[in-house]
Amino acid sequence: MEINEDALKNFQSSKFNFVDAKGNAADLSNLDDAVKYTLRDGDAIVQDDMTVKDVVDTINDEYGKDLNV
């Protein structure tokens, strides 16, 4: 599983972030299958208990799209 480079850039410039169970920022270049991740919007939890696949799919699916503005 690989995060699309453009999608990653789009995600990193968004207001969302991923953290591990201890609240530390997730290292998106070194995700661990043994860790569950949380998608946050600031301090608000958007989705909890996410696997590496969930993280990769979320970034690729949501931030890899071309946006029409």
Side-chain angles (χ1 to χ4, degrees), residues 20-59:
D20 63 18
K22 295 178 184 175
N24 299 317
D27 178 358
L28 297 175
S29 64
N30 190 25
L31 295 170
D32 185 347
D33 285 322
V35 175
K36 294 290 185 181
Y37 296 94
T38 300
L39 176 61
R40 293 194 317 191
D41 176 358
D43 289 332
I45 294 174
V46 177
Q47 189 170 348
D48 204 9
D49 291 327
M50 298 178 75
T51 64
V52 169
K53 182 182 183 324
D54 295 333
V55 171
V56 171
D57 287 349
T58 297
I59 292 173

Side-chain angles (χ1 to χ4, degrees), residues 3-4 9 12 21 40 45 48 53-54 63 66 68-69:
I3 298 174
N4 175 284
K9 287 178 189 174
Q12 289 172 329
R40 293 194 317 191
I45 294 174
D48 204 9
K53 182 182 183 324
D54 295 333
Y63 295 91
D66 290 333
N68 295 323
V69 278

